[in-house]
């Protein structure tokens, strides 16, 4: 096996090992705001997932862990395809640059970002998708909204754990009025 042919298992830690690591270490994540762009490169729509978790239904961004020995770019592709389907066709540059870094804490109020399971550091990206997107895995729905609809107060209230804050930051990064 060459050093480029590495075995990367989806579950690089057992559930018990992951729980133990989450108690001691920040875990690296990626958050992605999927967007559709027009022929000029301007954002025309923002994709938001609808998920049911912990007895609540919330709008969310694409999000997930970066696995051991996985490039950030590969983690973005994996999570986008996991949530939006294999035909989403994400347009990720060779060297992606996050628009912000979000630090999630298990204690509410430390930052606007909260994850009751762990301390996590997430690199957040805006990712254009060009293909057919269908909600996958545990996503119930995928809604494409205009940038103005995406930052409406009513919609932002449907987002939990700080995803609404990330969405507002993404729209500001793209030059959309808030």
């Amino acid at each position: 096996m060459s050093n480029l042919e590495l075995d990367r298992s989806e579950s690089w830690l057992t559930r018990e090992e992951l729980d133990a690591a989450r108690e001691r270490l920040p875990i690296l994540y990626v958050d992605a705001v999927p967007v559709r762009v027009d022929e000029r490169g301007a954002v025309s729509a923002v994709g938001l997932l609808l998920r049911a978790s912990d007895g609540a239904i919330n709008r969310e961004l694409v999000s997930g862990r970066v696995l051991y020995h996985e490039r950030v770019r590969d983690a973005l592709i994996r999570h986008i395809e996991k949530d939006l389907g294999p035909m989403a066709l994400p347009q990720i540059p060779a060297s992606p640059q996050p628009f912000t870094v979000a630090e999630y804490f298990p204690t509410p109020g430390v930052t606007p970002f909260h994850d009751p399971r762990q301390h996590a550091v997430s690199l957040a990206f805006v990712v254009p998708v060009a293909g057919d997107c269908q909600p996958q895995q545990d996503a119930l729905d995928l809604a494409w909204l205009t940038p103005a609809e995406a930052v409406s107060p009513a919609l932002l209230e449907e987002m939990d754990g700080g995803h609404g804050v990330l969405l507002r930051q993404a729209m500001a990064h793209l030059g959309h009025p808030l």
Side-chain angles (χ1 to χ4, degrees), residues 18 22 25 27 29 65 104-106 115-120:
L18 181 59
R22 282 178 166 154
L25 302 167
I27 306 295
Y29 273 68
R65 274 187 297 133
Y104 292 82
F105 282 91
D115 185 337
R117 304 168 300 164
Q118 65 197 339
H119 177 188

Side-chain angles (χ1 to χ4, degrees), residues 30-128:
V30 291
D31 284 314
V33 179
V35 297
R36 298 273 192 205
V37 295
D38 64 19
E39 62 279 350
R40 297 171 303 141
V43 172
S44 58
V46 178
L48 296 177
L49 297 166
L50 186 66
R51 288 194 206 275
S53 62
D54 299 328
I57 295 180
N58 296 308
R59 290 280 173 199
E60 293 185 1
L61 303 174
V62 172
S63 183
R65 274 187 297 133
V66 176
L67 299 178
Y68 178 75
H69 218 277
E70 180 179 43
R71 296 181 326 156
V72 167
R73 184 176 191 280
D74 294 335
L76 277 168
I77 291 168
R78 181 171 55 84
H79 287 294
I80 289 168
E81 289 180 350
K82 176 185 67 78
D83 286 343
L84 305 182
M87 298 307 295
L89 304 178
Q91 308 297 300
I92 301 172
S95 181
Q97 299 295 313
F99 67 86
T100 195
V101 175
E103 196 167 10
Y104 292 82
F105 282 91
T107 307
V110 176
T111 69
F113 309 104
H114 177 248
D115 185 337
R117 304 168 300 164
Q118 65 197 339
H119 177 188
V121 176
S122 182
L123 306 174
F125 301 86
V126 174
V127 180

Side-chain angles (χ1 to χ4, degrees), residues 1 5 9 17-18 21 26 32 67-69 82 96 116 128 133 164 176:
M1 176 187 295
E5 298 173 20
S9 172
E17 290 169 333
L18 181 59
L67 299 178
Y68 178 75
H69 218 277
K82 176 185 67 78
C133 297
H176 289 276

Side-chain angles (χ1 to χ4, degrees), residues 33 35 43 45-48 59 61 99 143-159 163-178:
V33 179
V35 297
V43 172
V46 178
L48 296 177
R59 290 280 173 199
L61 303 174
F99 67 86
W144 289 101
L145 308 167
T146 67
E149 292 169 333
V151 294
S152 72
L155 185 116
L156 293 173
E157 285 181 25
E158 293 180 33
M159 302 184 83
H163 279 198
V165 173
L166 274 181
L167 181 57
R168 285 179 52 90
Q169 290 177 342
M171 294 296 95
H173 175 75
L174 294 168
H176 289 276
L178 300 177

